[in-house]
Amino acid sequence: MKKHILWIAFLLCFSLAGCSWKQSAQTEKKILTLAVFESESQLAASKLLQWVNLYNANQSEVTIEVINYLERNEDAQEALKQIKLEISVGKGPDMIHFGRQYSPLDASSGMLADLYPMIENDASFKKRDIYYNILASFETEGCLYVFVPSYRIDTYTTVDRRLSELESMDMEQLMDAYRMLDEGSILFPGETKKAVFGMLCYGNLGNYVDWGKGTCRFDSDSFKKLLQFANQFPLNLNMTDANSAKEIFAEGRALLYPVSIDNVYGTARVRTLYGKTPAYIGYPFDSGNGNLAAVADIAIGIGSNSQYKDEAWEFLKSMVDREFQDSVERGLPLRISSLEQKLEASIKAEYDSKGEKIVKEQLIFDGEAPVNIYEISEEDAETLKAVIRKIEFSMAADSNLYSIVLEEADYLFYDGRNIDSVADIIQNRASVYISEKK
């Protein structure tokens, strides 16, 4: 009888121990919050939500919960203010998705953690597998605050011999080349005071703003030269039906051609327009190459107050995996092998059931018949890769700051105030805006 009781006690003890082990194994998942501030249609078009769902399905220890701050606020700027307020009191989301609204001012305002230490301490993150220079181009004052897994290229091309022989150009070289243009040649179609000024500022704000320190120098001699250069163009555009923008570029009568490359057919479009491969001179920078990377879809950072920085980094890092990168549709993939795969496919012509070539891309100008592109050449592919490898900087354009600069320049273009006075007005208003954002 005693043996029977002891045996039952033993079984009961073993059973209880087993239950205890199961409960400890079934630990609760860590919930990481991901802040977004985009409309439902924008989110639906992005790969981010799809990837979050797939990532969650494959994880046993973490779950990413998406919180759309537009549901609580009227617009994206108000949403950002809400996130900054939360972070200032020690809270805030684990990750923040900025998308195309990304601004270096927001990134360097204390909202985000620097990703560089995580990259350097992660032996599994292979820089050689990606165009690391593209990722690093989004650096702000020595820190990398956002992870950009796909991108587009913003640049200017030229066939003018004075510029095409240069690796890059500054404002002095641009102005010299423009002064020496033949009669009938132009800077680019649509050259008005505002258009020229807007074009130059779009890629050049980083020349006049220290994003990290929160200072600007729109009253500098360099910026005044930009104002002076733009002011020599007409106030309004006089275009006739005889003017063909496509012919102006094809005939080499435009000094610069604005180019935005968001897929592997970009360099083929440009070559088709010119009839040959031009020089990708980029924006006029005081130093460095003027070809710029820009956010195509996703720009995501880790919240500075997050308790799960390591787990958040694992999610960010997952977006350079082949599965994600091979499926990139908006912009160019960061992973080298994924880009090579897309280039290889674009070089090969495809045919429909009738044996006719399938149109893969078109060169389109308003009011003119589109030019079909059926495949790219080996030269197009090599040109694209060469441009990518040269990129040092990103399109660091805060949209609100850009609007302020363009708005205040009207005092010069429409009211005829002197350049020094207008530069001071821009400097004062920009300084106030930047200090408020910091």
Side-chain angles (χ1 to χ4, degrees):
M1 182 68 178
K2 287 182 180 180
K3 288 183 179 179
H4 184 66
I5 293 171
L6 287 172
W7 178 246
I8 293 174
F10 174 77
L11 288 176
L12 182 61
C13 180
F14 182 80
S15 175
L16 290 172
C19 290
S20 175
W21 180 83
K22 286 180 181 178
Q23 287 175 352
S24 63
Q26 294 174 349
T27 56
E28 291 187 4
K29 282 188 175 184
K30 297 174 183 176
I31 298 177
L32 278 66
T33 53
L34 169 58
V36 300
F37 35 92
E38 293 182 321
S39 67
E40 292 302 321
S41 60
Q42 288 174 317
L43 287 171
S46 171
K47 279 186 62 66
L48 182 60
L49 288 187
Q50 299 172 34
W51 190 249
V52 167
N53 292 334
L54 183 61
Y55 189 83
N56 284 342
N58 293 323
Q59 295 296 313
S60 60
E61 297 182 358
V62 301
T63 295
I64 297 172
E65 180 181 300
V66 178
I67 302 174
N68 193 341
Y69 275 69
L70 279 191
E71 295 177 357
R72 317 176 189 178
N73 303 276
E74 295 181 359
D75 58 32
Q77 290 304 311
E78 290 301 316
L80 268 173
K81 287 180 182 178
Q82 177 65 34
I83 293 173
K84 287 180 180 179
L85 180 62
E86 291 178 7
I87 290 174
S88 70
V89 295
K91 299 179 181 180
D94 295 294
M95 293 177 285
I96 305 169
H97 169 51
F98 295 89
R100 294 186 182 183
Q101 301 176 77
Y102 167 71
S103 163
L105 284 176
D106 294 319
S108 60
S109 66
M111 299 174 66
L112 303 173
D114 183 8
L115 301 180
Y116 274 147
M118 302 177 200
I119 291 173
E120 297 303 324
N121 294 328
D122 190 342
S124 69
F125 187 81
K126 307 297 184 184
K127 295 180 183 178
R128 64 176 180 271
D129 291 341
I130 65 174
Y131 284 106
Y132 187 71
N133 63 303
I134 297 295
L135 190 60
S137 73
F138 290 91
E139 175 184 302
T140 301
E141 297 301 309
C143 296
L144 183 65
Y145 294 112
V146 288
F147 196 86
V148 180
S150 66
Y151 62 97
R152 73 170 193 270
I153 300 169
D154 285 336
T155 184
Y156 276 84
T157 58
T158 185
V159 292
D160 183 273
R161 59 179 179 79
R162 288 173 290 269
L163 294 179
S164 59
E165 295 173 357
L166 303 171
E167 285 292 319
S168 60
M169 65 173 172
D170 57 26
M171 276 302 301
E172 291 288 348
Q173 291 165 328
L174 175 59
M175 290 187 287
D176 287 344
Y178 179 74
R179 282 193 290 266
M180 297 178 69
L181 285 179
D182 299 331
E183 187 175 351
S185 295
I186 58 175
L187 183 66
F188 58 78
E191 51 174 24
T192 63
K193 296 177 187 291
K194 200 71 174 278
V196 172
F197 183 68
M199 177 273 282
L200 294 175
C201 284
Y202 183 64
N204 275 317
L205 284 186
N207 277 347
Y208 306 106
V209 181
D210 186 319
W211 306 106
K213 294 179 180 177
T215 59
C216 57
R217 52 188 190 94
F218 291 108
D219 53 355
S220 65
D221 290 339
S222 175
F223 186 74
K224 290 175 184 178
K225 285 180 182 178
L226 193 154
L227 282 166
Q228 185 177 24
F229 179 70
N231 198 39
Q232 67 183 301
F233 293 92
L235 190 59
N236 299 303
L237 186 64
N238 296 316
M239 289 287 287
T240 66
D241 293 338
N243 295 118
S244 165
K246 187 170 70 173
E247 287 181 8
I248 289 172
F249 287 119
E251 295 170 2
R253 290 189 284 126
L255 184 63
L256 298 174
Y257 174 43
V259 175
S260 185
I261 299 175
D262 58 3
N263 61 35
V264 291
Y265 297 95
T267 50
R269 287 197 304 266
V270 178
R271 175 187 52 79
T272 300
L273 174 63
Y274 281 112
K276 60 180 179 180
T277 299
Y280 285 77
I281 194 68
Y283 286 81
F285 271 23
D286 292 343
S287 62
N289 190 274
N291 297 316
L292 303 175
V295 176
D297 183 12
I298 298 170
I300 186 169
I302 298 175
S304 56
N305 289 336
S306 174
Q307 297 179 350
Y308 301 125
K309 289 185 175 66
D310 291 340
E311 290 81 1
W313 166 244
E314 288 297 318
F315 173 69
L316 266 59
K317 185 178 65 172
S318 73
M319 286 187 282
V320 295
D321 290 348
R322 284 190 177 88
E323 185 175 0
F324 182 93
Q325 290 288 305
D326 287 352
S327 64
V328 165
E329 296 177 350
R330 298 174 72 175
L332 298 163
L334 199 62
R335 193 176 188 88
I336 294 172
S337 62
S338 298
L339 180 70
E340 292 286 356
Q341 179 178 294
K342 290 181 181 293
L343 288 171
E344 185 178 344
S346 65
I347 288 174
K348 299 174 183 177
E350 297 179 14
Y351 298 85
D352 60 19
S353 58
K354 297 179 181 179
E356 297 179 351
K357 280 187 175 182
I358 296 173
V359 177
K360 294 184 177 180
E361 188 73 4
Q362 289 185 319
L363 177 64
I364 299 175
F365 280 85
D366 289 340
E368 304 196 32
V371 178
N372 295 333
I373 297 174
Y374 302 96
E375 69 268 299
I376 72 172
S377 68
E378 293 282 356
E379 182 184 12
D380 296 329
E382 292 303 317
T383 298
L384 177 58
K385 289 186 284 186
V387 172
I388 291 172
R389 287 192 293 266
K390 287 181 179 178
I391 290 175
E392 302 173 60
F393 307 114
S394 62
M395 182 60 70
D398 181 283
S399 60
N400 292 316
L401 180 60
Y402 179 69
S403 297
I404 288 171
V405 172
L406 261 64
E407 182 180 325
E408 300 303 336
D410 284 348
Y411 283 113
L412 172 66
F413 303 147
Y414 290 92
D415 295 354
R417 296 194 187 184
N418 66 67
I419 288 175
D420 289 340
S421 172
V422 173
D424 287 340
I425 292 172
I426 294 174
Q427 172 67 14
N428 291 336
R429 188 175 171 195
S431 295
V432 171
Y433 170 76
I434 292 171
S435 64
E436 290 175 348
K437 291 284 282 187
K438 299 295 284 186

